[in-house]
Amino acid sequence: KAGVTQTPRYLIKTRGQQVTLSCSPISGHRSVSWYQQTPGQGLQFLFEYFSETQRNKGNFPGRFSGRQFSNSRSEMNVSTLELGDSALYLCASSPRGTGFGNTIYFGEGSWLTVV
Amino acid sequence: SQKIEQNSEALNIQEGKTATLTCNYTNYSPAYLQWYRQDPGRGPVFLLLIRENEKEKRKERLKVTFDTTLKQSLFHITASQPADSATYLCALEEADSWGKFQFGAGTQVVVTP
């Protein structure tokens, strides 16, 4: 069974540009969540989607957005990039929805550098 | 304010000894607490899950305890091996925020032969 796949793995963008990151969850998983990881802030929750609906959102500005498609694949977009957006962006999927103490399975992440 | 605190200093331990990591939280009411392992440049990998009504869980050389009164979880690696060297993260999930995991900053463990 293939794991969570994230693309691209590495990318460099210029301040002010926008970026779209893609995530393909494990087959059969309906929940996809996104996290930002930086040395200073650790792993921070961005948002979580289940069956194409955003269920939870973290404390990030509106420049960070996401969506989920009917096949559970997800994308996140960051507009008007700032230097502080440089981070490892991790996608995670889990099989079910609410209240089951699901484990989440992470991808290898997308390394974003903003210059 | 809400906080999840893990030892920020690396834990250096000799092979064969038991490593004990701490996760303390403030102003959370977790229904579940999980522990993950993360290697440099990789995504975290799930290790153990414990529910709010459970005191202890074990899996092979790993043990986790959960004390909701103390608001603390302890994670033990017994008979540690150099391959256990990694950063270990605790994560909380609350009942009113399913799917939203709050992670601690992690504790790096270094096991020396």
Side-chain angles (χ1 to χ4, degrees):
Chain A
K1 203 172 189 181
V4 177
T5 304
Q6 292 187 244
T7 56
R9 283 281 283 139
Y10 303 93
L11 65 166
I12 300 173
K13 290 287 188 178
T14 304
R15 270 183 304 176
Q17 286 186 313
Q18 73 164 13
V19 66
T20 299
L21 307 178
S22 180
C23 173
S24 293
I26 293 171
S27 177
H29 285 195
R30 295 169 63 191
S31 168
V32 173
S33 50
W34 288 89
Y35 292 81
Q36 181 195 65
Q37 188 172 34
T38 59
Q41 299 295 323
L43 259 172
Q44 291 192 291
F45 175 81
L46 279 157
F47 27 67
E48 188 252 356
Y49 288 88
F50 180 77
S51 295
E52 302 179 66
T53 300
Q54 186 181 91
R55 285 197 304 179
N56 280 297
K57 192 176 188 306
N59 299 322
F60 279 81
R63 299 186 297 107
F64 292 81
S65 62
R67 59 178 175 168
Q68 186 181 32
F69 303 97
S70 58
N71 61 0
S72 292
R73 194 177 68 83
S74 177
E75 289 180 348
M76 68 162 282
N77 183 276
V78 188
S79 62
T80 319
L81 284 166
E82 301 176 359
L83 295 178
D85 297 333
S86 296
L88 175 65
Y89 289 88
L90 289 160
C91 169
S93 74
S94 69
R96 290 182 289 181
T98 59
F100 297 102
N102 292 315
T103 62
I104 53 176
Y105 299 84
F106 284 90
E108 299 287 43
S110 292
W111 288 94
L112 170 65
T113 301
V114 182
V115 298
Chain B
S1 64
Q2 293 178 313
K3 285 190 300 184
I4 302 171
E5 295 178 302
Q6 297 186 250
N7 291 345
S8 57
E9 289 185 15
L11 179 62
N12 291 285
I13 191 164
Q14 198 171 15
E15 184 176 9
K17 301 294 186 184
T18 297
T20 299
L21 286 65
T22 304
C23 175
N24 294 303
Y25 59 91
T26 305
N27 292 327
Y28 283 105
S29 298
Y32 300 98
L33 189 147
Q34 304 188 20
W35 284 86
Y36 289 78
R37 167 188 172 136
Q38 186 173 25
D39 293 287
R42 311 291 296 273
V45 174
F46 169 77
L47 295 173
L48 277 172
L49 174 152
I50 190 164
R51 293 171 173 76
E52 60 178 333
N53 60 353
E54 296 178 318
K55 296 293 186 186
E56 181 180 301
K57 289 286 281 290
R58 291 174 185 261
K59 179 182 176 184
E60 298 173 352
R61 296 183 296 109
L62 307 179
K63 184 178 86 170
V64 61
T65 63
F66 193 11
D67 189 326
T68 55
T69 301
L70 290 179
K71 299 187 184 303
Q72 180 182 78
S73 175
L74 299 178
F75 180 78
H76 306 270
I77 307 171
T78 59
S80 58
Q81 304 168 359
D84 295 327
S85 298
T87 295
Y88 292 84
L89 305 161
C90 66
L92 310 181
E93 187 182 19
E94 295 184 291
D96 61 355
S97 299
W98 296 126
K100 180 178 180 179
F101 287 73
Q102 304 286 2
F103 280 84
T107 298
Q108 184 184 13
V109 173
V110 179
V111 182
T112 52

